[in-house]
Amino acid sequence: MNLSEVTERISRKLEAKGAQPDRQKIESRLHRLVEEFGVNIAEAERTVTGDLAREYNLTGVGSTSTELRPISEIVPGEWVTIEGKIVALTPSLSPSIAQTGIIADSSGAMRFVTWTRANAPAMEYGRWYRIESAVVDEYKGAPNLKIHSGTTISRMEKDVPLLPSITPITELKSGVGSVRAKVIQDWEVSHDRMLQTGLLGDESGTIKFVIWKEDGDGPSQGADPAAPEEPLGKEKLSLDTVYNIFYATIDEYNGRLSLSLNTAMYISDEGDIEVGRNETEIQGALVHVAPGSGLIKRCPVEGCNRTLSRQNYCPVHEIQPNFRYDLRLKAVLDDGIRARNVLMQRDVVEKLVGITLDEAIGIAESNPLGMDEIFYRVRNAVLGRYYTCSGGEFAGRLLVDSCVPVTFKPEELAALLNRAGGEAA
């Protein structure tokens, strides 16, 4: 950590309280404490912050980090002391990081990271800890607790049960959250590291979820055998089942939120949910039919559902002679302003093209072109025609629930020609 970073952090804290600090003055004070008096950077930051807060008659700037704070009230730029339970540990992706995970108290939860150079004791899953003089910064739009060399970690001999508060999907924000939701779609995975991805919904709306594959190597070395056992690996969610999902990681990408369930604990619920829909409707010309449309083969292994190659090869389960057929349409719909990728499943394709799955299988098995014949028939039936499609939009693709052809309206054509200054034929 260099002095410029610390200067910027102190300045932001003071500016948040309405002060207009002199950054050069702040850095000069820090330099004197660190370079001339040998004070460590953490203590120097606390000292300068406290001094300036008194000069500007400010309160609540975080001049001391010994006061116990609820996790839900923590904001980036503070030095804090918290008490919480380790509810998730995640693999470190860098040798500079010793440990990452989620810590929670009765008010909320947040991600934490322990730097290797901090030489801090490893925290155990399911244990309570008091963490003093930790730094809060921002990671992926949410507060993130950083444990450094100046942080003190003390294990607490208590086991207070935590009951996370459930948040409606439409009210989620980046960070850590808990939801009660129903699995309404199970998508084909797009990466070998993915275990499962799909769509969750509750009464307020829907959100994408993903579960990444884990090694499941067991407890960390040096862990207390008496500590609560950390779950190994993750199980897939079942379609049309309701789950209580606690401490999921909420990330934002391109303005859309998604849930990563690798940090979460999820329990199936016997109840049901009437899922609220946030649907998008698009009207335009279908200008492209992508390869992989028409009649396809899917892996029959339970929970897989991946598309097979022409040689019946699944990237996970290898050769699958007992494959099952399916119909789908991957296309581009252009509304004149924006071209969007759309994906239609079997029920929509059957209605749109006028061919059932059984009929498509029969044609493919009796035609020299095989499955290519179905691709050409599907393409010829829809390409260049106008449709109104509606569904949920995720990761830049419209997942179509319904699609109907646009009917010709002479009065609209006449109005457009009049606007263009032309004449109807």
Side-chain angles (χ1 to χ4, degrees), residues 74-127:
I74 292 174
V75 296
E78 295 185 319
W79 288 74
V80 297
T81 291
I82 64 169
E83 292 180 357
K85 183 178 182 179
I86 305 301
V87 295
L89 291 172
T90 54
S92 171
L93 301 179
S94 169
S96 63
I97 296 176
Q99 195 172 40
T100 62
I102 292 176
I103 187 167
D105 64 10
S106 58
S107 71
M110 68 188 305
R111 287 180 275 205
F112 74 87
V113 57
T114 303
W115 298 109
T116 302
R117 62 177 179 269
N119 292 320
M123 293 185 284
E124 298 171 5
Y125 174 82
R127 295 287 193 187

Side-chain angles (χ1 to χ4, degrees), residues 156-173:
M156 304 175 66
E157 296 301 327
K158 74 173 185 178
D159 187 13
V160 179
L162 294 176
L163 184 60
S165 59
I166 299 297
T167 303
I169 284 176
T170 54
E171 296 179 17
L172 291 173
K173 57 184 180 180

